Amino acid sequence: MMGADDTNSDANSGKAAMRRAAIAVVIFVVLAGLLFLFGPDDFYPWAKAIHVIAVISWMAGMLYLPRLLVYHADAEKSSVQSETFKVMERRLLRGIINPAMVITWAFGLWLAWKGFGFQGGWLHAKIAAVLCLSAVHGYLAGAVRKFAEDRNEKPARHWRMVNEIPTLLMIVIVVLVIVKPF
C-alpha cells in the first residue's frame, strides 16, 4: 500500500508534469500564432506539419491508453499496481491525448477550410472518421474516470477489443487522406 508521503509525492509530480504539458501547449500555440501573423502566405505547410505532429501524438496515446486499461482491468482494485495505472492513465489522457486531440481538430479544420473549402467526399468521410475517433476518445476518458473511482466492470477482453478501434479508424483516415478515393 502507498503511504501518505508517496501519495503527496505522486500528486506533486503529477501537477508538475501537467504544468509542463500546459506550458508546452501554450508555447506551441504562441509559436503557431506568430507563424500565422508574420507569414500567413507560408503558414499552410507549417499548419500541415503541426497537424501531422498532433495526429501522431493523439494516435500514440489512443493506441497506448486501451492497452493500459487491459492491464489495469486485471489488477486488483486499490492495489499498488492499480494505483500506478491510475496515475499513468490520467497523465497520458490529460498531458498528451487531450491536448493533441484539440490541436489536431483546430489545425485540421483550418486546413480543410483553407486547402479544400470543406469540399470533397473523401474529406467529409475523413471528418466523419475523426468524429468517430473523438467518440472513442470520449469513451476512453470516461473509462479512465471509472477506473480512477474503482468502478470498472469491463473485463480485460473488452479493453483488448476496444484497443483495435483506433487502429481501424487510423487506417481508414490515412487511406482517405492519401488515396482520396472519392
Side-chain angles (χ1 to χ4, degrees):
M1 230 32 209
M2 291 175 39
D5 289 341
D6 293 335
T7 303
N8 288 337
S9 175
D10 284 345
N12 289 337
S13 68
K15 288 179 183 176
M18 293 306 294
R19 227 180 351 266
R20 286 191 302 272
I23 290 169
V25 169
V26 168
I27 290 170
F28 186 76
V29 168
V30 167
L31 289 175
L34 290 172
L35 280 169
F36 181 75
L37 288 173
F38 294 110
D41 295 336
D42 300 324
F43 185 67
Y44 189 85
W46 283 102
K48 194 185 289 189
I50 292 166
H51 178 68
V52 169
I53 292 165
V55 167
I56 291 168
S57 299
W58 188 22
M59 285 308 306
M62 291 292 287
L63 296 171
Y64 185 46
L65 183 57
R67 180 52 46 188
L68 286 175
L69 299 178
V70 167
Y71 300 135
H72 195 167
D74 284 337
E76 192 171 320
K77 291 180 180 179
S78 300
S79 67
V80 172
Q81 186 180 28
S82 176
E83 297 304 312
T84 300
F85 283 127
K86 289 175 186 180
V87 171
M88 293 171 69
E89 293 155 3
R90 183 184 69 248
R91 288 181 183 175
L92 179 62
L93 183 65
R94 292 182 184 168
I96 296 172
I97 301 175
N98 289 346
M101 182 190 73
V102 169
I103 293 168
T104 295
W105 268 105
F107 282 86
L109 289 173
W110 186 84
L111 290 165
W113 167 70
K114 187 71 171 172
F116 303 99
F118 287 109
Q119 300 298 311
W122 70 271
L123 181 59
H124 299 151
K126 177 200 174 195
I127 291 171
V130 176
L131 279 169
C132 290
L133 187 61
S134 298
V136 173
H137 178 135
Y139 180 73
L140 292 174
V144 167
R145 213 172 4 263
K146 284 183 180 176
F147 271 101
E149 298 166 354
D150 289 326
R151 292 188 309 117
N152 172 57
E153 295 181 5
K154 308 272 190 219
R157 185 172 190 272
H158 169 80
W159 298 112
R160 279 188 188 91
M161 292 178 358
V162 169
N163 192 46
E164 304 307 320
I165 299 169
T167 303
L168 295 172
L169 288 168
M170 178 189 64
I171 291 167
V172 168
I173 292 165
V174 169
V175 168
L176 289 167
V177 170
I178 302 300
V179 178
K180 295 181 179 60
F182 46 89

